[in-house]
Amino acid sequence: MLPDEILEIIFNYSNVFDLYYYIQNVCKHWKELAFLRIKVFNINSFTEKAKSLFQDDPNGKMTTTTRYPSEQLQTLIKACVNPHFEALYLDNCIRFVKDFTIIDDNNDNQIIIENNLLDNDLNNLLNNNNDLNNDLNKKKFFLNESILGNCQLKILSLKSCIKLKNLVLQKLFLYCSKNLFNLNELNIEGCRQIIDNNLKLIVLNCPNLKKIYLSGCYRLTNNGIIYLSKLKLTHLGIQGLRLITDNGLLEFCKNCNSLEYLNLQNLSKITGPCLETIVTNNYLNNLKYLILKNSSVFNTNPQIMISNQTISTILNYCNNLIDFDIQGLYQIGHDGLKNARNFTRLNLIETGVLDDTIFEILINNINLNYLELKNCKNITDKTCEYLVENICKDLKVINLTNTLVTDRGVEILLNCYSKERLRVLNVKIPKSIPRDENQPEFTKPFDVNKEIEEAKQFFSEWGFVVFKNVINQSEIDESINDIFNYMESGSFEYIMAKDVNKKYETILKRNDILTWEDKNWPTMAEEGIFGVTPVFTKNILKNRQNENIYKAFKEITNEEKLWVNMDRIGFFRPTLNVALNSLQFKKDQLFENTNVNFSLLENENSKEDNERRDFKMWKTMKNIHIDRNPWLYVYGKNNYEQCFPGSYDYLPEFCSEFNEAGSFNDGIVKVQGLLNFIDNREQDGGFTIVPKFNKYFEKWVELTKNTNLGKKRMSFIILNHIDSISEYGVRIPLRKGDLLIWDICMPHGSSPNNSERMRLCQFIKMFKAPMKLKENRKKIIKTIVKKEMGENELTELGEKLFGLKEWKE
């Protein structure tokens, strides 16, 4: 048997879920050791299998915002607590744990704490408030003394907890103050409701905090950032905070000269003169990492923009700087960077640097590890010659993508640098896509019965294709009716196959836009998807056996024997100038002359139809992603037959089935698709894709395989802000009745809605049928079809597509 010391080390690197549910149950001795020295609880490390098992509430109750029940998470965290426990990562967790409470408190009297309270006012309000100090509420709170015990957390991450209310954060730092006293690092990026006074409370309760990351906390102002200067911070990330100006940054830096890391990415109100003032006063003497990516990029006034003089001044005064990111500052060139010295990493993507600039950099930065020159249009083969003449032995990455470097330049580099170090991919991604000649506001479509060869050629060239009128107006109307009926039934609540016959309640009403607020809306609203559960209504099921849709997938995949997946629906709520009058709302959605069942509210005809309102909080997030791991797709050897879910009892497994099946070179064409129900214009938000990326996919995978991105092993890869290929996304406007099919390797996603109109669609994909039927899958689908659709509505083609009947030779 291994010594206990070795076992403890192994257990410390194991997944917490596996430790609790498997490893500690091996024997009594392992149970004693399993959590003895565990230091980190990271919900991101849970495998997909663990997530699919770990979702049943002990009381059998699931809510629209709960996937991981509070009690089970508490149990796992409590098991981890020991004298060595120091890091708690609950990224994205607010999607799953409602308001961080064990019991949903519908009568929770929220205190509105605005950004204008003085310190004493804040303390008095918090200390004297019965709701916050009530012992019962403390016990209900997700993290409390009985859970965390006496542990002293050093790291707490609530990154992307989008629905985290400022009141909840206040409770967290009040109820757990003794556990957070020695907190060293706090990540609340993407917590959109955080306000300045939350930062004041953090300062009061976490005097030892050194690192804080606030990207996406859009309500923070100069006051909150200035208050943070009371701490001796070494790391500050405030990228994208639109309300931060020169005054706030200058005041912070004046009072906090201990910074080593400063991220000012996308701060459009920070000017060059402000940065020059900060560094010339020696406020950033200890700075090692500075990110100015896209900062001041919209300031075209030469007197205030970040200029060559600004960069030169920073380099002259910040002598400890080793990592510098000025991506997107196109105005920065040779004069700004010629004095760069002693760097290990330089991100100069989309700047105006010259070959001669690189010559100076190579001479003065012998320890350079990363040199990013992507999209630098002045870089030629001369830079490759300089890289050979002045070899940096530690240079790990040389990114020359989309420069003027030719094959000759690459050959020169390969004489001295390994292929793994080079990233040279000269992509030419179009900024627009072919449009319909008759209706240029929409994408060029093809007739599934008359233009198959043209469609296949288009798909091969662009990586996607649109087929028009695959369903008729009557089928469109019935599909929309299904979606509204589904909305009002509350059926989106269930996620387990055993729960499909349960009855649910919801206050959502199709004709009352005011009921559509976030607290009533199902999970995945930020993505524009209506809940995590696949939709099994009658007409949505009928679409999955539609002969035109089958024909389109058959021709594009070159496969006759196909299965169709059971997937979700896309539902973007309108966001701008939205009619509150249901009659006018019906007109805006193009339902007026259709058979869509959109019954008007009582006496609505007599109401004024000009009352409109903006709902900007309903905008979905912009995202570009790939639905399978591209590196495992190219370099892995997944057996096509063995990559399907095991049980399908957890219904969302239907949505992702086939995503990880097979490999890049197995000869099987793998695609995804969606069926559109309402004319979807550019401004309505919706599907976005990086066109023609299919031509560069394999090369891109090769170039990125050794990066942090390429080392990811999850099946869903988000590219936003991580890889610049996401910046090439182009909207694909669609008409009602259009079917869009795209290659599974294509980066795609959606853009937010900026109009008075909804977006409604059905996600649908067909794929090569496996050799054997999946019995549990068959059983679940058969039960649902009988309940929702009726066996008489199921066609012979449908039986085969649904996996209920084998395809014959």
Side-chain angles (χ1 to χ4, degrees), residues 363-429:
I363 291 176
N364 297 318
N365 298 269
I366 59 174
N367 295 317
L368 196 63
N369 294 151
Y370 293 85
L371 180 59
E372 302 276 357
L373 298 172
K374 182 176 181 179
N375 295 338
C376 293
K377 301 304 182 183
N378 299 320
I379 297 300
T380 71
D381 289 348
K382 197 71 177 174
T383 285
C384 300
E385 295 173 10
Y386 290 150
L387 281 162
V388 171
E389 293 171 6
N390 303 277
I391 295 177
C392 297
K393 56 182 176 56
D394 295 324
L395 199 55
K396 297 177 181 177
V397 171
I398 311 164
N399 191 344
L400 297 169
T401 295
N402 277 0
T403 61
L404 298 180
V405 171
T406 66
D407 290 343
R408 173 184 167 274
V410 175
E411 288 179 15
I412 293 172
L413 287 175
L414 288 174
N415 290 326
C416 297
Y417 296 94
S418 65
K419 188 177 180 181
E420 287 71 24
R421 297 189 191 186
L422 300 182
R423 297 185 195 167
V424 185
L425 178 61
N426 290 317
V427 299
K428 294 182 180 179
I429 302 294

Coordinates of all heavy atoms in Angstrom, one line a residue, residues 363-429:
I363 N 17.1 42.7 -29.7 CA 18.4 43.1 -29.1 C 18.3 43.4 -27.6 O 19.1 43.0 -26.8 CB 19.1 44.3 -29.9 CG1 19.5 43.9 -31.3 CG2 20.3 44.8 -29.1 CD1 20.0 45.0 -32.1
N364 N 17.2 44.0 -27.2 CA 17.1 44.5 -25.9 C 16.3 43.7 -25.0 O 16.1 44.0 -23.8 CB 16.5 45.9 -25.9 CG 17.3 47.0 -26.6 OD1 18.6 47.0 -26.4 ND2 16.7 47.8 -27.4
N365 N 15.7 42.5 -25.5 CA 14.9 41.6 -24.7 C 15.3 40.2 -24.9 O 14.5 39.4 -25.5 CB 13.4 41.9 -25.1 CG 12.9 43.3 -24.8 OD1 12.4 43.6 -23.7 ND2 13.1 44.1 -25.8
I366 N 16.4 39.8 -24.4 CA 17.0 38.5 -24.6 C 16.2 37.4 -23.9 O 16.4 36.2 -24.3 CB 18.5 38.4 -24.2 CG1 18.6 38.8 -22.7 CG2 19.3 39.4 -25.1 CD1 20.1 38.6 -22.2
N367 N 15.4 37.8 -22.9 CA 14.6 36.7 -22.2 C 13.2 36.7 -22.7 O 12.3 36.1 -22.0 CB 14.6 37.1 -20.7 CG 16.0 36.9 -20.1 OD1 16.8 36.0 -20.4 ND2 16.4 37.9 -19.3
L368 N 12.9 37.2 -23.9 CA 11.6 37.2 -24.4 C 11.0 35.8 -24.6 O 11.7 34.9 -25.2 CB 11.6 38.0 -25.7 CG 10.2 38.4 -26.3 CD1 9.6 39.5 -25.3 CD2 10.4 39.1 -27.7
N369 N 9.8 35.5 -24.1 CA 9.1 34.2 -24.2 C 8.0 34.2 -25.3 O 7.9 33.3 -26.0 CB 8.4 33.8 -22.9 CG 9.4 33.6 -21.8 OD1 9.1 33.7 -20.6 ND2 10.6 33.1 -22.1
Y370 N 7.3 35.3 -25.4 CA 6.2 35.4 -26.3 C 6.2 36.7 -27.1 O 6.4 37.8 -26.5 CB 4.8 35.4 -25.5 CG 4.5 34.1 -24.8 CD1 5.0 33.8 -23.6 CD2 3.8 33.1 -25.5 CE1 4.8 32.6 -23.0 CE2 3.5 31.9 -24.9 CZ 4.0 31.6 -23.6 OH 3.8 30.4 -23.0
L371 N 6.1 36.6 -28.4 CA 6.1 37.8 -29.2 C 4.9 37.6 -30.2 O 4.9 36.8 -31.1 CB 7.4 37.9 -30.0 CG 7.5 39.1 -31.0 CD1 7.4 40.4 -30.2 CD2 8.8 39.0 -31.8
E372 N 3.9 38.4 -29.9 CA 2.6 38.4 -30.6 C 2.6 39.5 -31.7 O 2.5 40.7 -31.3 CB 1.4 38.5 -29.7 CG 1.4 37.4 -28.6 CD 0.7 36.1 -29.1 OE1 0.3 36.1 -30.2 OE2 0.7 35.2 -28.3
L373 N 2.6 39.2 -33.0 CA 2.6 40.2 -34.0 C 1.5 39.9 -35.0 O 1.5 40.5 -36.1 CB 3.9 40.1 -34.8 CG 5.2 40.4 -34.0 CD1 6.5 40.1 -34.8 CD2 5.2 41.8 -33.5
K374 N 0.4 39.2 -34.6 CA -0.7 38.9 -35.5 C -1.3 40.2 -36.0 O -1.5 41.2 -35.2 CB -1.7 38.1 -34.7 CG -2.9 37.7 -35.5 CD -3.8 36.8 -34.6 CE -5.0 36.3 -35.4 NZ -5.8 35.4 -34.6
N375 N -1.7 40.2 -37.3 CA -2.4 41.3 -37.9 C -1.6 42.6 -37.9 O -2.1 43.7 -38.1 CB -3.7 41.6 -37.2 CG -4.7 40.5 -37.4 OD1 -4.6 39.7 -38.3 ND2 -5.7 40.4 -36.5
C376 N -0.3 42.5 -37.8 CA 0.6 43.7 -38.0 C 1.0 43.7 -39.4 O 1.8 43.0 -39.9 CB 1.9 43.5 -37.1 SG 1.5 43.6 -35.3
K377 N 0.4 44.7 -40.1 CA 0.5 44.7 -41.6 C 1.8 45.2 -42.1 O 2.1 45.2 -43.3 CB -0.6 45.6 -42.2 CG -2.0 45.1 -41.8 CD -2.3 43.6 -42.2 CE -3.7 43.2 -41.8 NZ -3.9 41.7 -42.2
N378 N 2.8 45.7 -41.2 CA 4.1 46.1 -41.7 C 5.2 45.1 -41.5 O 6.3 45.4 -41.8 CB 4.4 47.4 -40.9 CG 3.5 48.5 -41.2 OD1 3.0 48.7 -42.3 ND2 3.1 49.3 -40.2
I379 N 4.8 43.9 -41.0 CA 5.8 42.9 -40.6 C 6.0 42.0 -41.9 O 5.0 41.4 -42.4 CB 5.4 42.1 -39.4 CG1 5.3 43.0 -38.2 CG2 6.3 40.9 -39.2 CD1 6.6 43.6 -37.8
T380 N 7.3 41.9 -42.3 CA 7.6 41.1 -43.5 C 8.6 40.0 -43.2 O 8.9 39.8 -42.0 CB 8.2 42.0 -44.6 OG1 9.5 42.5 -44.2 CG2 7.3 43.3 -44.8
D381 N 9.1 39.4 -44.2 CA 10.2 38.4 -44.1 C 11.4 38.9 -43.4 O 12.2 38.1 -42.8 CB 10.5 37.8 -45.4 CG 9.4 36.9 -46.0 OD1 8.5 36.6 -45.3 OD2 9.5 36.6 -47.2
K382 N 11.6 40.2 -43.4 CA 12.7 40.8 -42.8 C 12.7 40.5 -41.3 O 13.8 40.3 -40.7 CB 12.7 42.4 -43.0 CG 14.0 43.1 -42.7 CD 15.0 42.7 -43.8 CE 16.4 43.5 -43.6 NZ 17.4 43.1 -44.5
T383 N 11.5 40.5 -40.7 CA 11.4 40.2 -39.2 C 11.9 38.7 -39.0 O 12.6 38.4 -38.0 CB 10.0 40.3 -38.8 OG1 9.7 41.7 -38.6 CG2 9.7 39.6 -37.4
C384 N 11.6 37.8 -39.9 CA 12.1 36.5 -39.8 C 13.6 36.4 -39.8 O 14.2 35.6 -39.1 CB 11.5 35.6 -40.9 SG 9.7 35.6 -41.0
E385 N 14.2 37.2 -40.7 CA 15.7 37.2 -40.7 C 16.3 37.8 -39.4 O 17.3 37.2 -38.9 CB 16.1 38.1 -41.9 CG 15.7 37.6 -43.3 CD 16.0 38.6 -44.4 OE1 16.7 39.6 -44.1 OE2 15.6 38.3 -45.5
Y386 N 15.6 38.8 -38.8 CA 16.1 39.3 -37.6 C 15.9 38.3 -36.4 O 16.8 38.2 -35.6 CB 15.3 40.6 -37.2 CG 15.6 41.8 -38.0 CD1 14.6 42.7 -38.3 CD2 16.8 42.0 -38.6 CE1 14.8 43.9 -39.1 CE2 17.1 43.1 -39.4 CZ 16.1 44.0 -39.6 OH 16.3 45.1 -40.4
L387 N 14.9 37.5 -36.5 CA 14.7 36.5 -35.5 C 15.7 35.4 -35.5 O 16.1 34.8 -34.5 CB 13.3 35.9 -35.7 CG 12.1 36.7 -35.1 CD1 10.8 36.2 -35.7 CD2 12.0 36.6 -33.6
V388 N 16.3 35.2 -36.7 CA 17.3 34.2 -36.9 C 18.7 34.8 -36.4 O 19.5 34.1 -35.8 CB 17.4 33.7 -38.3 CG1 18.6 32.8 -38.6 CG2 16.1 32.9 -38.7
E389 N 18.9 36.1 -36.8 CA 20.2 36.7 -36.4 C 20.3 37.0 -34.9 O 21.4 37.0 -34.4 CB 20.3 38.1 -37.2 CG 20.4 37.9 -38.7 CD 20.3 39.3 -39.4 OE1 20.2 40.3 -38.7 OE2 20.2 39.3 -40.6
N390 N 19.2 37.2 -34.3 CA 19.2 37.5 -32.8 C 18.3 36.5 -32.1 O 17.2 36.8 -31.7 CB 18.7 38.9 -32.6 CG 19.4 39.9 -33.3 OD1 20.5 40.4 -32.9 ND2 18.9 40.3 -34.5
I391 N 18.8 35.3 -32.0 CA 18.0 34.2 -31.4 C 17.7 34.4 -29.9 O 18.7 34.6 -29.2 CB 18.7 32.8 -31.7 CG1 18.8 32.5 -33.1 CG2 17.9 31.7 -30.9 CD1 19.5 31.2 -33.5
C392 N 16.4 34.4 -29.6 CA 16.1 34.4 -28.2 C 15.8 33.0 -27.7 O 14.8 32.4 -28.1 CB 14.8 35.3 -28.0 SG 15.0 37.0 -28.4
K393 N 16.7 32.4 -27.0 CA 16.6 31.0 -26.6 C 15.3 30.6 -25.9 O 14.9 29.5 -25.9 CB 17.8 30.6 -25.8 CG 18.1 31.4 -24.5 CD 19.3 30.9 -23.8 CE 19.6 31.7 -22.6 NZ 18.5 31.8 -21.6
D394 N 14.7 31.6 -25.2 CA 13.5 31.3 -24.4 C 12.3 31.6 -25.1 O 11.2 31.4 -24.6 CB 13.5 32.1 -23.1 CG 14.7 31.8 -22.2 OD1 15.0 30.6 -22.1 OD2 15.2 32.7 -21.5
L395 N 12.4 32.0 -26.4 CA 11.2 32.4 -27.2 C 10.3 31.1 -27.4 O 10.7 30.2 -28.2 CB 11.6 33.0 -28.5 CG 10.5 33.9 -29.2 CD1 9.9 35.0 -28.3 CD2 11.1 34.5 -30.4
K396 N 9.1 31.1 -26.9 CA 8.2 29.9 -27.0 C 7.2 30.1 -28.1 O 6.8 29.1 -28.7 CB 7.5 29.7 -25.6 CG 8.5 29.3 -24.5 CD 7.7 29.1 -23.2 CE 8.7 28.8 -22.1 NZ 7.9 28.7 -20.8
V397 N 6.7 31.3 -28.3 CA 5.7 31.6 -29.2 C 6.0 32.8 -30.1 O 6.4 33.9 -29.6 CB 4.3 31.8 -28.6 CG1 3.3 32.3 -29.6 CG2 3.8 30.6 -27.9
I398 N 6.0 32.6 -31.4 CA 6.2 33.7 -32.4 C 4.9 33.7 -33.2 O 4.7 32.8 -34.1 CB 7.4 33.5 -33.3 CG1 8.6 33.2 -32.4 CG2 7.6 34.8 -34.1 CD1 9.8 32.7 -33.2
N399 N 4.0 34.7 -33.0 CA 2.8 34.7 -33.8 C 2.9 35.7 -34.9 O 2.9 36.9 -34.7 CB 1.6 35.1 -32.8 CG 0.3 34.8 -33.4 OD1 0.1 34.7 -34.6 ND2 -0.8 34.8 -32.6
L400 N 2.9 35.2 -36.1 CA 3.0 36.0 -37.3 C 1.8 35.9 -38.2 O 1.8 36.1 -39.4 CB 4.3 35.6 -38.1 CG 5.6 35.8 -37.3 CD1 6.7 35.2 -38.1 CD2 5.9 37.3 -37.2
T401 N 0.7 35.5 -37.6 CA -0.6 35.3 -38.4 C -1.1 36.6 -39.0 O -1.0 37.6 -38.4 CB -1.7 34.7 -37.5 OG1 -1.3 33.4 -37.0 CG2 -3.0 34.6 -38.2
N402 N -1.5 36.5 -40.3 CA -2.0 37.7 -41.0 C -1.0 38.8 -41.1 O -1.4 40.0 -40.9 CB -3.3 38.1 -40.3 CG -4.5 37.3 -40.9 OD1 -4.4 36.4 -41.7 ND2 -5.7 37.6 -40.4
T403 N 0.2 38.5 -41.3 CA 1.2 39.5 -41.5 C 1.6 39.4 -43.0 O 1.0 38.6 -43.7 CB 2.5 39.4 -40.6 OG1 3.0 38.1 -40.9 CG2 2.1 39.5 -39.2
L404 N 2.7 40.1 -43.4 CA 3.2 40.0 -44.8 C 4.3 38.9 -44.9 O 5.0 38.8 -45.9 CB 3.7 41.3 -45.3 CG 2.7 42.4 -45.3 CD1 3.3 43.7 -45.8 CD2 1.5 42.1 -46.2
V405 N 4.4 38.1 -43.9 CA 5.4 37.0 -43.9 C 5.0 35.9 -44.9 O 3.8 35.5 -44.9 CB 5.6 36.4 -42.5 CG1 6.5 35.1 -42.6 CG2 6.2 37.4 -41.6
T406 N 5.9 35.5 -45.8 CA 5.7 34.5 -46.8 C 6.2 33.2 -46.4 O 6.8 33.0 -45.4 CB 6.3 35.0 -48.1 OG1 7.8 34.9 -48.0 CG2 5.9 36.4 -48.5
D407 N 6.0 32.2 -47.3 CA 6.5 30.8 -47.0 C 8.1 30.9 -46.9 O 8.6 30.1 -46.1 CB 6.1 29.9 -48.2 CG 4.7 29.6 -48.2 OD1 4.0 29.8 -47.1 OD2 4.1 29.1 -49.2
R408 N 8.7 31.8 -47.6 CA 10.1 31.9 -47.5 C 10.5 32.3 -46.1 O 11.5 31.8 -45.5 CB 10.6 33.0 -48.5 CG 12.1 33.3 -48.4 CD 12.5 34.5 -49.3 NE 13.9 35.0 -49.0 CZ 14.0 35.9 -48.1 NH1 13.0 36.5 -47.4 NH2 15.3 36.4 -47.8
G409 N 9.8 33.3 -45.5 CA 10.1 33.7 -44.2 C 9.9 32.6 -43.2 O 10.7 32.4 -42.2
V410 N 8.9 31.8 -43.4 CA 8.6 30.6 -42.5 C 9.8 29.6 -42.6 O 10.3 29.1 -41.6 CB 7.3 29.9 -42.8 CG1 7.1 28.7 -42.0 CG2 6.1 30.9 -42.6
E411 N 10.3 29.4 -43.8 CA 11.4 28.5 -44.0 C 12.6 29.0 -43.3 O 13.4 28.2 -42.7 CB 11.7 28.3 -45.5 CG 10.6 27.5 -46.2 CD 11.0 27.4 -47.7 OE1 12.1 27.7 -48.1 OE2 10.1 27.0 -48.5
I412 N 12.9 30.3 -43.3 CA 14.0 30.9 -42.6 C 13.9 30.6 -41.1 O 14.9 30.2 -40.5 CB 14.1 32.4 -42.9 CG1 14.4 32.7 -44.3 CG2 15.1 33.1 -42.0 CD1 14.3 34.1 -44.7
L413 N 12.7 30.8 -40.6 CA 12.5 30.6 -39.1 C 12.7 29.1 -38.7 O 13.2 28.8 -37.6 CB 11.1 31.1 -38.7 CG 10.9 32.6 -38.7 CD1 9.4 32.9 -38.4 CD2 11.8 33.2 -37.7
L414 N 12.3 28.2 -39.6 CA 12.3 26.8 -39.2 C 13.8 26.3 -39.1 O 14.0 25.2 -38.6 CB 11.5 26.0 -40.3 CG 10.0 26.1 -40.2 CD1 9.3 25.4 -41.3 CD2 9.5 25.6 -38.8
N415 N 14.7 27.1 -39.6 CA 16.1 26.7 -39.5 C 16.6 26.8 -38.1 O 17.6 26.2 -37.7 CB 17.0 27.6 -40.4 CG 16.8 27.3 -41.9 OD1 16.6 26.1 -42.2 ND2 16.9 28.3 -42.7
C416 N 15.9 27.7 -37.3 CA 16.4 28.0 -35.9 C 15.3 27.7 -34.8 O 15.6 27.6 -33.7 CB 16.9 29.4 -35.8 SG 18.3 29.8 -36.8
Y417 N 14.1 27.7 -35.2 CA 13.0 27.6 -34.3 C 12.1 26.3 -34.7 O 11.9 26.1 -35.8 CB 12.1 28.8 -34.3 CG 12.8 30.1 -33.8 CD1 13.4 30.9 -34.7 CD2 12.9 30.4 -32.4 CE1 14.0 32.1 -34.3 CE2 13.5 31.5 -32.0 CZ 14.1 32.4 -32.9 OH 14.7 33.5 -32.5
S418 N 11.7 25.6 -33.6 CA 10.9 24.4 -33.9 C 9.5 24.9 -34.4 O 9.0 26.0 -34.1 CB 10.7 23.6 -32.6 OG 10.0 24.3 -31.6
K419 N 8.9 24.0 -35.1 CA 7.6 24.2 -35.7 C 6.5 24.6 -34.6 O 5.6 25.4 -34.8 CB 7.1 23.0 -36.5 CG 5.8 23.2 -37.3 CD 5.5 22.0 -38.1 CE 4.3 22.2 -38.9 NZ 4.0 21.0 -39.7
E420 N 6.7 24.0 -33.4 CA 5.8 24.2 -32.3 C 5.8 25.6 -31.8 O 4.8 26.1 -31.3 CB 6.1 23.2 -31.1 CG 5.8 21.8 -31.4 CD 6.7 21.1 -32.4 OE1 7.8 21.6 -32.5 OE2 6.3 20.1 -33.0
R421 N 6.9 26.4 -32.1 CA 6.9 27.7 -31.6 C 6.2 28.7 -32.5 O 5.8 29.8 -32.1 CB 8.4 28.2 -31.4 CG 9.2 27.4 -30.4 CD 10.6 28.1 -30.2 NE 11.5 27.3 -29.5 CZ 12.7 27.7 -29.1 NH1 13.1 29.0 -29.4 NH2 13.5 27.0 -28.4
L422 N 6.1 28.3 -33.7 CA 5.6 29.3 -34.7 C 4.1 29.2 -34.9 O 3.5 28.2 -34.8 CB 6.2 29.0 -36.1 CG 7.7 29.0 -36.2 CD1 8.2 28.8 -37.6 CD2 8.2 30.4 -35.8
R423 N 3.5 30.4 -35.0 CA 2.1 30.5 -35.3 C 2.0 31.4 -36.5 O 2.0 32.6 -36.4 CB 1.3 31.1 -34.2 CG 1.3 30.3 -32.9 CD 0.4 30.9 -31.9 NE 0.6 30.3 -30.5 CZ 0.2 30.8 -29.4 NH1 -0.6 31.9 -29.5 NH2 0.4 30.3 -28.3
V424 N 1.8 30.8 -37.7 CA 1.7 31.5 -38.9 C 0.5 31.0 -39.7 O 0.5 29.9 -40.3 CB 3.0 31.4 -39.8 CG1 2.8 32.3 -41.0 CG2 4.2 31.7 -39.0
L425 N -0.6 31.7 -39.6 CA -1.8 31.3 -40.3 C -2.4 32.6 -40.9 O -3.0 33.4 -40.2 CB -2.8 30.7 -39.3 CG -4.2 30.3 -39.8 CD1 -4.0 29.2 -40.9 CD2 -5.1 29.9 -38.7
N426 N -2.2 32.7 -42.2 CA -2.6 33.9 -42.9 C -4.1 33.7 -43.4 O -4.3 33.4 -44.5 CB -1.7 34.3 -44.0 CG -0.4 34.8 -43.5 OD1 -0.3 35.6 -42.6 ND2 0.7 34.3 -44.1
V427 N -5.0 33.9 -42.5 CA -6.4 33.7 -42.8 C -7.0 34.9 -43.5 O -6.6 36.0 -43.3 CB -7.2 33.4 -41.5 CG1 -6.7 32.2 -40.8 CG2 -7.2 34.6 -40.6
K428 N -7.9 34.6 -44.4 CA -8.6 35.7 -45.0 C -10.1 35.5 -44.8 O -10.8 34.9 -45.7 CB -8.3 35.7 -46.5 CG -6.8 36.1 -46.8 CD -6.5 36.2 -48.3 CE -5.0 36.6 -48.5 NZ -4.7 36.6 -49.9
I429 N -10.6 35.9 -43.7 CA -12.0 35.7 -43.3 C -12.8 36.8 -43.9 O -12.5 38.0 -43.6 CB -12.2 35.6 -41.8 CG1 -11.3 34.5 -41.2 CG2 -13.6 35.5 -41.4 CD1 -11.7 33.1 -41.6

